[in-house]
Each structure stands twice: as C-alpha cells, then as structure tokens.
Amino acid sequence: MDKARETALKALHEVNEKGAYANVALARSLRAAKLSEVDRRFATELAYGAAKAGGTLDWILRRYLNRPLSKIPPMVRDILRLGIYQLFFLARVPASAACNTAVEMTKRCSHAGTVKFVNAVLRTAAREPEKAAFPTGKAHEAENLALSLQHPEWLVRRWIEQFGYEEARALCEFDNAQATLSLRTNTLKITRDKLLERLSKEGVEAEPSAWTPEGILFLRHGSLDALESLQQGLFQVQDESSMLVAHVLAPEPGEFVLDVCSAPGGKTTHIAASMGDCGRIVALDVHEHKMRRIAENCERLGIKSVEPLLLDAREAGRRFPRQADRVLVDAPCSGLGVLRRKPDARWRKRPDDLAALARLQREILSSAAEAVKSGGVLVYSTCTIEREENEAVVEDFLARHEEFSLENAGELLPLKKRPEQMLQLYPQRDGTDGFFIARMRRR
C-alpha cells in the first residue's frame, strides 16, 4: 500500500464525509502515518489539492460514470476523486501509478466488482481525457472559469458581477496560490529584528512584513512545532492582514478591552501586547475548547491581562453595560477573503449563507455596542470581501445607532496608510488576505 496516498485518502474522506477541516484532518493523518519528508509533502499536495478541486473533480468524474455519483460508496468516491486529481492536475504522476494505487486502495475497502469499476473509470479517464474538456465560448465564460480554477460557479458569477471577469480570475488564482505563513512577534519578549536573527539561527528563511511592524513572513521553514522560539513564546502564528485590527483598535495601557469573538486568540494576544500586558482584556467565545486554546496561547506568550470567558457575543452588552473603553467584534463570517488558507472552505459555502451571517453579525454588533462606554471605541472586522457582511452591516448599525460615528480606519494602519474610512483589503488588489475593518466611536 502506498502510505502517502493512503494518508491523503484518510484526510480527504474526513473532509468530505465528516465535515472536518482539511488542515486538521491532514495533520491527524500525518501524525498517525509517520511518513518520510518526501511522502509528507506528497500526501499534503494530494489531500489539499483534491479538497480544493472538490466540485471540479466531481464534474470531471461524471463524464466517465454510468451511475449517479451519490450512488457510489463514500470511500470509493474519494478514491476516484484522488485518482482523477492525479490524472488531470499532477502531470508528473504517471497515469499507471494513479490507477494502480487507486485499485489497491479499493481492494482494502470493497469487493472485486467495485475494484473493476474503479479500474475501468480511471483507465478510461487516462485514455480519453478529452471527454472532460471544459465548456468554452462566451456563453460558458463563468462555468469555464469556475471549473478551470476550481471554485463554485455561483461564487465566480458573483465575483464577475462585482469585479469584472479579469479581476474575478485574478481573485480565483490568488485563492489557488500557496499561502505564505506569517507570524507576529511577541513584543512583550523580543523585538522583530532580534526574532529575525533568532529564526535565522534556527534555519528559517524569513523577511519583515510590509504591512505591520510586528509581522514576519516565512519564506522557507521545516516543522513549525520544532522551533524553540515558538515554544518559548517569542511569536504567534497570525495572518498578516488580521494583525492590522489591533492597530485600528489602538488600545492604551490600563484600559478595559472587550473582545467578543476572540478564539483562537491571535487578535486578543496582539491587543495585550499592544497594551504592554497592562490593563484588562475579557475574551469571549461560545466554545469551551476554544477558550482553552486562548488560555494556552496566553500562557505560552507570557500574557497575564487576558480573562477568557465562556459567553455568547450577543450577551456582551447585557453583561458589561457601558463598561469597556474599547470593544472588538471580529465577527463570524463566510471567510471568502481567506480561501487560499482553507482549501476545502469554498465548497462549504452557499449563497444563502451570506444573508444568515449578516443577520448574526448585526445582532452581535448591536449587543457589543452596548458595552462601549461614552467616548469609547467599537471596531468591527471580518475576513471576507462581501459587502453584504461588511459595509452593509456597518451602515445598518450606524443608521440605527446615532450615538456612534464612523472614524477613519485607513489612517490608523501602521505602515500603509489608506484614505478610506471603512478599510477593505482585496487579495487580487492588495496581495494579502481579504479583510475588512471599520472603527466607530460612541459620542
């Protein structure tokens, strides 16, 4: 049995049938498999690639099936998806290897008839790839883009309408590119320059972020968990654009800050570092296991000012009425600005999700606002690029809460000032994750 492919199959099956996140499922499978570094990389490429190509793989598969995809046993479906991914997207993998290993994996989970079926489907696909040629022509423009760049068609059509065809293509291409790992220097313990020196000694190639003074981009590295600098709490892994939130919030030492959707604690601990760990930060979340992650991160980073609290964000205003100097609402959202970091997420989204999320976001923002004291600051942020979840939520809030006024978030960016009041970063324009930040003040 090919252990790399078997490891990838286990992870892909967890994603498709159990709703697991690809990174979590793959990490679990890799720990159990104990592969060589070469096999780890191949298993990762297979699992992430097949998860990312999800709907496109199913479209290709249907061109070679004589039965509905839903009628095929789940594990066999995933074996076929993995085989199709290798045949159509990994040119360096011989077709014979893709087919033979799929047959061997099918023998482990099904009977001889199914083995023959899998073999026939994949060998026909290898022999007749033209049967799965994507539709072309002006009438199929959106469908072709969705299939070739592995995105749901409804989302591609939405982006073409919003940005135009070329920008929509650039956005899809950005989502498919490998995400750069970024980290935030724990300025309570070390400066960025000193951390860069330390990482270099640990064999890491890195460079400073152009967006934040604490940010560092990893160019090449081995196992992150093996870095002593991580274990010693010298840095926190955090997306580059999300580091901007603490700068827009701009907390002062000694203040009371409420972070109402805080897990896993990247922004919370950044706020604490910005305050010199001097003040009170209450970090809310509704999941107990996420509360533990916040506490663990704080302990590793040496932070004492954070108080994790198990509480629904929609109860924040009643629990802390007019008490907080600053309140952060990093709201649950569709995550359509960070799809390059979550290869399977694009296929989990539905058009109706955006309206449902916008309702939840309005509820959380309205409750959180009740916790802001007179003269206090309220910041709303998301990792999406959809107006329905961003500007529209803030505009609706301001229309119903005349006691709050909008301030200029773009002017508070630490290194790249922007003119807009409500800050929206777009991947295809800014070269970073899609992110939205708005800052308001209670009069």
Side-chain angles (χ1 to χ4, degrees), residues 215-228:
I216 291 176
L217 304 181
F218 275 11
L219 305 179
R220 189 175 64 83
H221 63 91
S223 171
L224 199 64
D225 292 339
L227 294 179
E228 194 175 334

mmCIF file with all atom_site columns, all heavy atoms in Angstrom, residues 215-228:
data_model
loop_
_atom_site.group_PDB
_atom_site.id
_atom_site.type_symbol
_atom_site.label_atom_id
_atom_site.label_alt_id
_atom_site.label_comp_id
_atom_site.label_asym_id
_atom_site.label_entity_id
_atom_site.label_seq_id
_atom_site.pdbx_PDB_ins_code
_atom_site.Cartn_x
_atom_site.Cartn_y
_atom_site.Cartn_z
_atom_site.occupancy
_atom_site.B_iso_or_equiv
_atom_site.pdbx_formal_charge
_atom_site.auth_seq_id
_atom_site.auth_comp_id
_atom_site.auth_asym_id
_atom_site.auth_atom_id
_atom_site.pdbx_PDB_model_num
ATOM 1   N N   . GLY A 1 215 ? 5.045  42.022 12.107 1.00 0.00 ? 215 GLY A N   1
ATOM 2   C CA  . GLY A 1 215 ? 4.843  40.872 11.238 1.00 0.00 ? 215 GLY A CA  1
ATOM 3   C C   . GLY A 1 215 ? 6.113  40.349 10.595 1.00 0.00 ? 215 GLY A C   1
ATOM 4   O O   . GLY A 1 215 ? 7.028  41.100 10.269 1.00 0.00 ? 215 GLY A O   1
ATOM 5   N N   . ILE A 1 216 ? 6.154  39.036 10.407 1.00 0.00 ? 216 ILE A N   1
ATOM 6   C CA  . ILE A 1 216 ? 7.253  38.356 9.733  1.00 0.00 ? 216 ILE A CA  1
ATOM 7   C C   . ILE A 1 216 ? 6.649  37.323 8.792  1.00 0.00 ? 216 ILE A C   1
ATOM 8   O O   . ILE A 1 216 ? 5.692  36.624 9.144  1.00 0.00 ? 216 ILE A O   1
ATOM 9   C CB  . ILE A 1 216 ? 8.193  37.660 10.743 1.00 0.00 ? 216 ILE A CB  1
ATOM 10  C CG1 . ILE A 1 216 ? 8.971  38.709 11.560 1.00 0.00 ? 216 ILE A CG1 1
ATOM 11  C CG2 . ILE A 1 216 ? 9.160  36.714 10.042 1.00 0.00 ? 216 ILE A CG2 1
ATOM 12  C CD1 . ILE A 1 216 ? 9.846  38.113 12.644 1.00 0.00 ? 216 ILE A CD1 1
ATOM 13  N N   . LEU A 1 217 ? 7.191  37.215 7.581  1.00 0.00 ? 217 LEU A N   1
ATOM 14  C CA  . LEU A 1 217 ? 6.748  36.224 6.609  1.00 0.00 ? 217 LEU A CA  1
ATOM 15  C C   . LEU A 1 217 ? 7.781  35.107 6.513  1.00 0.00 ? 217 LEU A C   1
ATOM 16  O O   . LEU A 1 217 ? 8.974  35.373 6.353  1.00 0.00 ? 217 LEU A O   1
ATOM 17  C CB  . LEU A 1 217 ? 6.557  36.870 5.236  1.00 0.00 ? 217 LEU A CB  1
ATOM 18  C CG  . LEU A 1 217 ? 5.600  38.062 5.169  1.00 0.00 ? 217 LEU A CG  1
ATOM 19  C CD1 . LEU A 1 217 ? 5.517  38.570 3.736  1.00 0.00 ? 217 LEU A CD1 1
ATOM 20  C CD2 . LEU A 1 217 ? 4.222  37.688 5.685  1.00 0.00 ? 217 LEU A CD2 1
ATOM 21  N N   . PHE A 1 218 ? 7.320  33.871 6.614  1.00 0.00 ? 218 PHE A N   1
ATOM 22  C CA  . PHE A 1 218 ? 8.196  32.718 6.452  1.00 0.00 ? 218 PHE A CA  1
ATOM 23  C C   . PHE A 1 218 ? 8.360  32.434 4.964  1.00 0.00 ? 218 PHE A C   1
ATOM 24  O O   . PHE A 1 218 ? 7.368  32.239 4.254  1.00 0.00 ? 218 PHE A O   1
ATOM 25  C CB  . PHE A 1 218 ? 7.588  31.483 7.120  1.00 0.00 ? 218 PHE A CB  1
ATOM 26  C CG  . PHE A 1 218 ? 7.876  31.373 8.593  1.00 0.00 ? 218 PHE A CG  1
ATOM 27  C CD1 . PHE A 1 218 ? 8.422  32.423 9.296  1.00 0.00 ? 218 PHE A CD1 1
ATOM 28  C CD2 . PHE A 1 218 ? 7.588  30.206 9.276  1.00 0.00 ? 218 PHE A CD2 1
ATOM 29  C CE1 . PHE A 1 218 ? 8.682  32.329 10.639 1.00 0.00 ? 218 PHE A CE1 1
ATOM 30  C CE2 . PHE A 1 218 ? 7.851  30.085 10.623 1.00 0.00 ? 218 PHE A CE2 1
ATOM 31  C CZ  . PHE A 1 218 ? 8.402  31.150 11.316 1.00 0.00 ? 218 PHE A CZ  1
ATOM 32  N N   . LEU A 1 219 ? 9.589  32.381 4.499  1.00 0.00 ? 219 LEU A N   1
ATOM 33  C CA  . LEU A 1 219 ? 9.864  32.039 3.113  1.00 0.00 ? 219 LEU A CA  1
ATOM 34  C C   . LEU A 1 219 ? 10.159 30.555 2.968  1.00 0.00 ? 219 LEU A C   1
ATOM 35  O O   . LEU A 1 219 ? 9.760  29.909 2.000  1.00 0.00 ? 219 LEU A O   1
ATOM 36  C CB  . LEU A 1 219 ? 11.041 32.854 2.585  1.00 0.00 ? 219 LEU A CB  1
ATOM 37  C CG  . LEU A 1 219 ? 10.900 34.380 2.715  1.00 0.00 ? 219 LEU A CG  1
ATOM 38  C CD1 . LEU A 1 219 ? 12.148 35.064 2.180  1.00 0.00 ? 219 LEU A CD1 1
ATOM 39  C CD2 . LEU A 1 219 ? 9.656  34.868 1.991  1.00 0.00 ? 219 LEU A CD2 1
ATOM 40  N N   . ARG A 1 220 ? 10.869 29.993 3.949  1.00 0.00 ? 220 ARG A N   1
ATOM 41  C CA  . ARG A 1 220 ? 11.161 28.556 3.946  1.00 0.00 ? 220 ARG A CA  1
ATOM 42  C C   . ARG A 1 220 ? 11.422 28.129 5.381  1.00 0.00 ? 220 ARG A C   1
ATOM 43  O O   . ARG A 1 220 ? 12.112 28.806 6.138  1.00 0.00 ? 220 ARG A O   1
ATOM 44  C CB  . ARG A 1 220 ? 12.389 28.261 3.078  1.00 0.00 ? 220 ARG A CB  1
ATOM 45  C CG  . ARG A 1 220 ? 12.632 26.771 2.853  1.00 0.00 ? 220 ARG A CG  1
ATOM 46  C CD  . ARG A 1 220 ? 13.789 26.553 1.879  1.00 0.00 ? 220 ARG A CD  1
ATOM 47  N NE  . ARG A 1 220 ? 15.043 27.055 2.428  1.00 0.00 ? 220 ARG A NE  1
ATOM 48  C CZ  . ARG A 1 220 ? 15.822 26.378 3.272  1.00 0.00 ? 220 ARG A CZ  1
ATOM 49  N NH1 . ARG A 1 220 ? 15.465 25.182 3.682  1.00 0.00 ? 220 ARG A NH1 1
ATOM 50  N NH2 . ARG A 1 220 ? 16.943 26.892 3.700  1.00 0.00 ? 220 ARG A NH2 1
ATOM 51  N N   . HIS A 1 221 ? 10.804 26.990 5.740  1.00 0.00 ? 221 HIS A N   1
ATOM 52  C CA  . HIS A 1 221 ? 10.978 26.514 7.115  1.00 0.00 ? 221 HIS A CA  1
ATOM 53  C C   . HIS A 1 221 ? 10.678 25.029 7.177  1.00 0.00 ? 221 HIS A C   1
ATOM 54  O O   . HIS A 1 221 ? 10.047 24.461 6.278  1.00 0.00 ? 221 HIS A O   1
ATOM 55  C CB  . HIS A 1 221 ? 10.046 27.269 8.065  1.00 0.00 ? 221 HIS A CB  1
ATOM 56  C CG  . HIS A 1 221 ? 8.584  27.059 7.770  1.00 0.00 ? 221 HIS A CG  1
ATOM 57  N ND1 . HIS A 1 221 ? 7.839  26.062 8.345  1.00 0.00 ? 221 HIS A ND1 1
ATOM 58  C CD2 . HIS A 1 221 ? 7.748  27.695 6.920  1.00 0.00 ? 221 HIS A CD2 1
ATOM 59  C CE1 . HIS A 1 221 ? 6.606  26.105 7.890  1.00 0.00 ? 221 HIS A CE1 1
ATOM 60  N NE2 . HIS A 1 221 ? 6.514  27.084 7.021  1.00 0.00 ? 221 HIS A NE2 1
ATOM 61  N N   . GLY A 1 222 ? 11.130 24.390 8.233  1.00 0.00 ? 222 GLY A N   1
ATOM 62  C CA  . GLY A 1 222 ? 10.806 22.985 8.458  1.00 0.00 ? 222 GLY A CA  1
ATOM 63  C C   . GLY A 1 222 ? 9.571  22.884 9.336  1.00 0.00 ? 222 GLY A C   1
ATOM 64  O O   . GLY A 1 222 ? 8.631  23.653 9.202  1.00 0.00 ? 222 GLY A O   1
ATOM 65  N N   . SER A 1 223 ? 9.598  21.937 10.255 1.00 0.00 ? 223 SER A N   1
ATOM 66  C CA  . SER A 1 223 ? 8.466  21.746 11.165 1.00 0.00 ? 223 SER A CA  1
ATOM 67  C C   . SER A 1 223 ? 8.351  22.932 12.113 1.00 0.00 ? 223 SER A C   1
ATOM 68  O O   . SER A 1 223 ? 9.299  23.259 12.837 1.00 0.00 ? 223 SER A O   1
ATOM 69  C CB  . SER A 1 223 ? 8.635  20.456 11.965 1.00 0.00 ? 223 SER A CB  1
ATOM 70  O OG  . SER A 1 223 ? 7.653  20.377 12.971 1.00 0.00 ? 223 SER A OG  1
ATOM 71  N N   . LEU A 1 224 ? 7.198  23.578 12.109 1.00 0.00 ? 224 LEU A N   1
ATOM 72  C CA  . LEU A 1 224 ? 6.994  24.743 12.960 1.00 0.00 ? 224 LEU A CA  1
ATOM 73  C C   . LEU A 1 224 ? 7.050  24.367 14.438 1.00 0.00 ? 224 LEU A C   1
ATOM 74  O O   . LEU A 1 224 ? 7.623  25.082 15.257 1.00 0.00 ? 224 LEU A O   1
ATOM 75  C CB  . LEU A 1 224 ? 5.637  25.377 12.625 1.00 0.00 ? 224 LEU A CB  1
ATOM 76  C CG  . LEU A 1 224 ? 5.421  26.824 13.058 1.00 0.00 ? 224 LEU A CG  1
ATOM 77  C CD1 . LEU A 1 224 ? 6.380  27.744 12.331 1.00 0.00 ? 224 LEU A CD1 1
ATOM 78  C CD2 . LEU A 1 224 ? 3.985  27.239 12.790 1.00 0.00 ? 224 LEU A CD2 1
ATOM 79  N N   . ASP A 1 225 ? 6.455  23.234 14.781 1.00 0.00 ? 225 ASP A N   1
ATOM 80  C CA  . ASP A 1 225 ? 6.394  22.815 16.187 1.00 0.00 ? 225 ASP A CA  1
ATOM 81  C C   . ASP A 1 225 ? 7.775  22.577 16.777 1.00 0.00 ? 225 ASP A C   1
ATOM 82  O O   . ASP A 1 225 ? 7.947  22.625 18.000 1.00 0.00 ? 225 ASP A O   1
ATOM 83  C CB  . ASP A 1 225 ? 5.561  21.533 16.326 1.00 0.00 ? 225 ASP A CB  1
ATOM 84  C CG  . ASP A 1 225 ? 4.088  21.777 16.025 1.00 0.00 ? 225 ASP A CG  1
ATOM 85  O OD1 . ASP A 1 225 ? 3.662  22.944 16.116 1.00 0.00 ? 225 ASP A OD1 1
ATOM 86  O OD2 . ASP A 1 225 ? 3.379  20.805 15.703 1.00 0.00 ? 225 ASP A OD2 1
ATOM 87  N N   . ALA A 1 226 ? 8.749  22.309 15.923 1.00 0.00 ? 226 ALA A N   1
ATOM 88  C CA  . ALA A 1 226 ? 10.101 22.016 16.403 1.00 0.00 ? 226 ALA A CA  1
ATOM 89  C C   . ALA A 1 226 ? 10.887 23.285 16.753 1.00 0.00 ? 226 ALA A C   1
ATOM 90  O O   . ALA A 1 226 ? 11.959 23.198 17.365 1.00 0.00 ? 226 ALA A O   1
ATOM 91  C CB  . ALA A 1 226 ? 10.867 21.212 15.358 1.00 0.00 ? 226 ALA A CB  1
ATOM 92  N N   . LEU A 1 227 ? 10.384 24.448 16.392 1.00 0.00 ? 227 LEU A N   1
ATOM 93  C CA  . LEU A 1 227 ? 11.117 25.694 16.644 1.00 0.00 ? 227 LEU A CA  1
ATOM 94  C C   . LEU A 1 227 ? 11.079 26.049 18.128 1.00 0.00 ? 227 LEU A C   1
ATOM 95  O O   . LEU A 1 227 ? 10.015 26.205 18.721 1.00 0.00 ? 227 LEU A O   1
ATOM 96  C CB  . LEU A 1 227 ? 10.519 26.832 15.818 1.00 0.00 ? 227 LEU A CB  1
ATOM 97  C CG  . LEU A 1 227 ? 10.654 26.735 14.295 1.00 0.00 ? 227 LEU A CG  1
ATOM 98  C CD1 . LEU A 1 227 ? 9.987  27.931 13.634 1.00 0.00 ? 227 LEU A CD1 1
ATOM 99  C CD2 . LEU A 1 227 ? 12.125 26.660 13.882 1.00 0.00 ? 227 LEU A CD2 1
ATOM 100 N N   . GLU A 1 228 ? 12.243 26.200 18.689 1.00 0.00 ? 228 GLU A N   1
ATOM 101 C CA  . GLU A 1 228 ? 12.331 26.566 20.099 1.00 0.00 ? 228 GLU A CA  1
ATOM 102 C C   . GLU A 1 228 ? 11.752 27.956 20.357 1.00 0.00 ? 228 GLU A C   1
ATOM 103 O O   . GLU A 1 228 ? 11.167 28.224 21.410 1.00 0.00 ? 228 GLU A O   1
ATOM 104 C CB  . GLU A 1 228 ? 13.799 26.517 20.550 1.00 0.00 ? 228 GLU A CB  1
ATOM 105 C CG  . GLU A 1 228 ? 13.980 26.555 22.066 1.00 0.00 ? 228 GLU A CG  1
ATOM 106 C CD  . GLU A 1 228 ? 15.429 26.377 22.470 1.00 0.00 ? 228 GLU A CD  1
ATOM 107 O OE1 . GLU A 1 228 ? 16.185 25.754 21.701 1.00 0.00 ? 228 GLU A OE1 1
ATOM 108 O OE2 . GLU A 1 228 ? 15.792 26.871 23.558 1.00 0.00 ? 228 GLU A OE2 1
#
